[in-house]
Amino acid sequence: MASLKSQFYIDQKVTFLNYGSFGGTPKPIMKNYQDWQLECEREPVQFMQVNLHKYLRKSREALAKYINCNADDLVYVTNPSYAINIIAKSLKLTLGDQVLTTDLEYGAIDRTWKYYTRKTGAKYFKSKISLPVKSTEQFIEDLWKGYSHKTKVVFISHITSSTGMILPVKEICEMAKAKGLITIVDGAHVPGHIPLNLQELKADIYTGACHKWMMTPKGSSFLYVKKELQDRFDPLLISWGYESDNPSASRFQDYHSWQGTRDMSAFLTIPASIKFMKDHNWKKVSDACKKLVHDNYETFCDVLGTQPLCPVNKNFLGQMGSAMIKTHDPAGLQRKLFTRYKVDLPVMKHDDYTFIRFSIQAYNSQKDLDKLFDALKKTRGKEHG
């Protein structure tokens, strides 16, 4: 993977193990991004009013092929938080209805659901997941303990941000469908990280970020909604797509694809991202990254004096590894690791837990993890000394 290091802009003086937070765009994809921006600036009217629609269509078709769904069932959004706001605002939950989830979900999305459920009198119920997770069966059992006759929706992350764990979403979607529930999946960390096949997964609603593991520029994500449900969801901003002068065959596309002037260039880089991964045999690259995680995860936990959060295998771990850490100052520890040792990774407070997480991307090596372990030993020694 050493040859790929030059493809990224990552500061060579920093041991960057924080790819999962905001991604990082390789040089060829960034050039494609800037080319789109320059085309717009050379002739803004033709770009925005004449050509953008077909450009977006071509990009959606490439993404749809990559994640196996219909291109018209996808719309681009800036991030998964934006997507979940679209869904939560229009879901028409009523007093007593329940959205079932886990206590491991992303904080911003937790806040979204709390806001909209409180406005309607519905309940956002977080099932407690026992940590460490011992098996898929245990996780599923923990989740369904929160189910009741009032449950209308199951919302779950495909890969959680704080724990880095891959969750058994396919099994959960199957069980939810058998109970007549709507399934909504936050797949922020999934595209380009682990295989995603929406036809097989059969989630009703799915959102993913392309600016993380697919390596596109920031602000490039998608929302997938099963065709039968699309007319339920209004855009967050009403604009020209409402009662369109030139309606397409899809009201879903009309409502959500155009919501005023903004730079949509990041959306147009999806084909360049897919080409970059193909050109560099990305499955092999990703597999090597995952092996590095699996080979080092238990050492990571040993250095911290804790235990793995889950079984160390491909069902639960991809290119991220996370562990519990005891610290009185998570933000201070994160800052100290960076300022003193030039090691960048997140230390996250999550309810009663604090997690520290490392991400492995194509430019990382064993040397980076050895430097992390050394920094943690020194920092933790001083913290407890």
Side-chain angles (χ1 to χ4, degrees), residues 295-336:
D295 289 349
N296 284 272
Y297 183 52
E298 291 188 5
T299 302
F300 181 55
C301 293
D302 289 344
V303 168
L304 296 171
T306 187
Q307 57 185 318
L309 292 175
C310 59
V312 185
N313 60 47
K314 66 179 182 180
N315 293 327
F316 283 98
L317 289 176
Q319 291 177 226
M320 298 191 294
S322 189
M324 291 185 200
I325 187 171
K326 292 181 180 179
T327 175
H328 63 278
D329 183 10
L333 174 59
Q334 180 175 356
R335 197 67 203 151
K336 188 182 294 183

Side-chain angles (χ1 to χ4, degrees), residues 53-76 198-199 221-227 230 248-254 256-257 270:
H53 176 75
K54 65 183 180 183
Y55 291 159
L56 286 169
R57 173 76 195 184
K58 182 179 179 181
S59 179
R60 284 201 325 275
E61 286 173 347
L63 179 61
K65 183 177 180 181
Y66 183 68
I67 61 177
N68 194 21
C69 67
N70 188 302
D72 282 340
D73 296 337
L74 295 171
V75 290
Y76 284 128
L198 290 180
Q199 289 289 347
S221 301
F222 67 86
L223 170 63
Y224 162 88
V225 180
K226 185 172 72 173
K227 200 170 296 294
Q230 289 172 5
S248 70
S250 168
R251 195 177 86 171
F252 184 58
Q253 290 298 324
D254 293 342
H256 298 277
S257 292
I270 303 292

